């Protein structure tokens, strides 16, 4: 942290249950040179990684479907969310994490993955940045049924669908998860499945 226009005064922990929620009191220097005291809450859940698995020959992608409580609380009638495979880094580097998550969630053991970018999810409230990957899959890479880990209370449905259908599901609102929309749009722009 090296912004001379920011002076952190105090960080107060508000919650440290599942993840960490802090209240940050700081002085911020305005354009006119005066200083303004501000308070912001910052939620730290760690960084993550996500991947779009695609098969160029079949023209398909692998997505997951699972229950997401926060979306359920905010208008998602059944709480189910269609997403790319993703997970928190925990102690892993991004590549190790995403290969492990892909195997756990989808059942595919990936040899190669390609990082495409790193994005802050919600920089106004959450510290998390997500490492975005793409990776080609084929049936020879299928080592198990996927579905996530029971120890992490995961119950994940693995969906293989035509890429064109996934793009259409963005338009209909069936896919409304930001990281999934970003990777599907990236695939369309880069013509990964032409």
């Amino acid at each position: 942290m090296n912004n001379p226009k920011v002076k952190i005064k105090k960080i107060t922990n508000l919650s440290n249950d599942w993840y960490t929620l802090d209240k940050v009191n700081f002085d911020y220097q305005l354009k006119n040179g005066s200083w303004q005291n501000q308070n912001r809450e910052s939620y730290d859940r760690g960084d993550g990684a996500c991947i779009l698995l695609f098969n160029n020959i079949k023209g398909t992608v692998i997505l997951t479907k699972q229950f997401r409580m926060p979306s359920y609380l905010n208008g998602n009638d059944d709480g189910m969310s269609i997403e790319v495979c993703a997970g928190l880094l925990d102690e892993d580097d991004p590549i190790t994490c995403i290969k492990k998550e892909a195997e756990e969630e989808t059942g595919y053991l990936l040899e190669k993955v390609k990082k495409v970018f790193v994005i802050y999810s919600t920089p106004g409230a959450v510290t998390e940045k997500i490492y975005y990957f793409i990776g080609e899959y084929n049936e020879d890479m299928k080592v198990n049924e996927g579905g996530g880990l029971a120890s992490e209370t995961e119950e994940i449905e693995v969906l293989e669908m035509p890429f064109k259908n996934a793009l259409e599901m963005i338009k209909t609102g069936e896919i409304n998860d930001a990281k999934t929309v970003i990777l599907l749009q990236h695939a369309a722009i880069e013509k990964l499945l032409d």
Side-chain angles (χ1 to χ4, degrees):
M1 294 186 286
N2 59 1
N3 186 340
K5 296 176 70 168
V6 178
K7 295 179 183 174
I8 296 177
K9 298 293 193 182
K10 183 178 181 183
I11 299 176
T12 305
N13 181 255
L14 302 176
S15 176
N16 199 9
D17 185 17
W18 190 252
Y19 301 114
T20 303
L21 177 63
D22 290 329
K23 180 178 180 180
V24 182
N25 176 267
F26 62 101
D27 290 337
Y28 184 80
Q29 189 176 31
L30 303 176
K31 289 179 182 178
N32 67 11
S34 66
W35 289 87
Q36 184 180 71
N37 187 259
Q38 298 182 15
N39 288 294
R40 296 290 184 271
E41 290 182 3
S42 177
Y43 190 58
D44 185 349
R45 61 183 305 272
D47 294 335
C50 63
I51 189 166
L52 177 65
L53 281 70
F54 68 97
N55 184 310
N56 198 20
I57 295 168
K58 292 169 55 177
T60 55
V61 294
I62 299 287
L63 300 175
T64 64
K65 185 175 183 179
Q66 60 186 304
F67 179 76
R68 297 296 199 188
M69 177 56 78
S71 76
Y72 186 61
L73 295 173
N74 193 23
N76 183 356
D77 288 341
D78 64 2
M80 300 305 287
S81 183
I82 298 173
E83 306 175 12
V84 291
C85 172
L88 292 176
L89 299 185
D90 296 323
E91 301 297 319
D92 291 328
D93 64 88
I95 292 174
T96 301
C97 168
I98 205 56
K99 286 181 174 183
K100 182 169 62 174
E101 289 293 334
E103 184 178 350
E104 290 172 4
E105 291 188 5
T106 71
Y108 287 90
L109 181 59
L110 301 175
E111 297 169 14
K112 297 187 312 184
V113 297
K114 178 183 177 187
K115 185 173 93 172
V116 290
F117 30 71
V118 180
I119 298 176
Y120 284 96
S121 300
T122 311
V126 180
T127 62
E128 177 186 52
K129 57 185 169 185
I130 297 181
Y131 295 80
Y132 286 73
F133 293 90
I134 55 173
E136 291 193 63
Y137 76 93
N138 62 53
E139 294 312 310
D140 293 338
M141 297 175 179
K142 186 82 168 166
V143 294
N144 64 58
E145 292 306 308
L149 297 178
S151 62
E152 294 180 6
T153 64
E154 293 178 320
E155 188 175 82
I156 298 170
E157 183 181 349
V158 181
L159 307 173
E160 182 177 33
M161 68 180 66
F163 176 59
K164 291 179 181 183
N165 291 18
L167 289 176
E168 189 61 32
M169 291 170 78
I170 295 171
K171 293 178 187 175
T172 64
E174 294 169 88
I175 293 178
N176 57 14
D177 168 67
K179 63 188 177 301
T180 305
V181 172
I182 290 168
L183 277 173
L184 289 170
Q185 292 291 344
H186 170 78
I189 290 166
E190 295 296 322
K191 301 181 185 333
L192 296 180
L193 288 110
D194 280 351

